[in-house]
Amino acid sequence: MRFNIYGRFQVDVRRDNDAWAVYRAELGKRTLCEDVVIPPDVPADELATYLDDIFHEYAGHGDIVESMPD
């Protein structure tokens, strides 16, 4: 699943075995974000809310984390 983080950058979140893996998506390449950890029990439909909690310091007034089509 791909997410637009406040229009500043994008991340791909993938299920890897029993854990979530987060990748920074930039111009045709993906880089693992080892410092972003999503607990394995977070459901897929709550990922945008969880990412909003993690990255809220990047948000401006009215900014949101948006799910993007793959």
Side-chain angles (χ1 to χ4, degrees):
M1 292 169 268
R2 184 173 287 233
F3 296 91
N4 182 351
I5 309 298
Y6 312 121
R8 296 177 181 264
F9 58 93
Q10 296 175 2
V11 295
D12 275 328
V13 180
R14 302 284 177 201
R15 195 72 176 176
D16 186 13
N17 296 321
D18 291 329
W20 292 111
V22 180
Y23 299 88
R24 183 92 178 239
E26 297 178 13
L27 299 172
K29 64 180 180 176
R30 287 186 340 174
T31 306
L32 182 62
C33 296
E34 295 182 29
D35 57 334
V36 178
V37 178
I38 300 174
D41 60 338
V42 173
D45 64 343
E46 293 181 18
L47 287 173
T49 301
Y50 193 84
L51 291 168
D52 186 45
D53 289 342
I54 290 174
F55 293 115
H56 68 272
E57 66 273 3
Y58 293 107
H61 181 70
D63 287 345
I64 61 171
V65 172
E66 295 179 292
S67 179
M68 302 174 61
D70 286 328

